[in-house]
Amino acid sequence: MKVSTLMPVLAICALLSFTSCSTESMNEEEVLTIDLATPPQAKPLEIEVLELINNYRISNGFSALSNNGTVKAVAYTHSDYMRISNEVSHHNFYVRKQSLQENENAQVVSENVAFGYTNAQSVVNAWINSPGHRSNIEGDFTHFDISAEQDENGDWYYTNIFIKR
């Protein structure tokens, strides 16, 4: 992601986050601990987000994206990481990017993250109303997937990853 694109994304992520940083930390090796060949089962909330994004893309003249199990598995690792660390971030993005380059021949990788939205429409609306997030949704990608993980307080952490092969 270009620095000019990354800065607004990080600013929005900071605004979307209502949690404080945790003293608990995880190292990078702990981030990708899921079997990429067996992605987690999609939740109805996640399926709805993917459908809303594709509907938005189609209605704005962009092609629909295909969901991808490896992308889902990698997105899950980050949503779970954010849930455990109680922090919305793009930490370790390069690890996710490298994994998708190696396992899915991804040429381009980008992601949107969010916290606290209780339904698919609200998180997709927030991303569409943010120029940096919207540029990912409208980007020249071929595949995408999402993970939404809920913490013990019922708050949702979202990671939506886009790739181009």
Side-chain angles (χ1 to χ4, degrees), residues 143-156:
H143 295 80
F144 72 151
D145 223 305
I146 189 165
S147 173
E149 299 305 317
Q150 200 169 29
D151 68 14
E152 65 279 354
N153 298 319
D155 295 321
W156 289 95

Side-chain angles (χ1 to χ4, degrees), residues 88-142:
V88 178
S89 72
H90 290 283
H91 293 169
N92 307 306
F93 174 73
Y94 73 94
V95 176
R96 291 185 296 287
K97 179 179 178 181
Q98 182 178 21
S99 176
L100 291 165
Q101 288 170 328
E102 292 171 3
N103 294 289
E104 285 296 322
N105 195 30
Q107 304 303 305
V108 181
V109 180
S110 191
E111 74 180 12
N112 288 342
V113 298
F115 166 77
Y117 294 95
T118 58
N119 63 65
Q121 190 69 62
S122 64
V123 71
V124 171
N125 285 347
W127 284 334
I128 289 170
N129 289 322
S130 161
H133 293 94
R134 184 176 58 247
S135 70
N136 287 339
I137 290 172
E138 295 176 350
D140 182 19
F141 298 105
T142 56

Side-chain angles (χ1 to χ4, degrees), residues 14-61:
L15 291 173
L16 295 176
S17 175
F18 301 109
T19 62
S20 61
C21 296
S22 171
T23 57
E24 180 181 354
S25 64
M26 297 175 68
N27 65 39
E28 292 166 14
E29 291 78 31
E30 294 174 307
V31 175
L32 287 175
T33 58
I34 191 167
D35 178 7
L36 296 180
T38 311
Q41 184 75 22
K43 299 172 185 70
L45 173 65
E46 295 165 337
I47 294 167
E48 188 177 354
V49 169
L50 297 176
E51 290 173 351
L52 288 168
I53 289 172
N54 266 339
N55 289 343
Y56 173 85
R57 285 179 61 87
I58 291 166
S59 70
N60 285 280

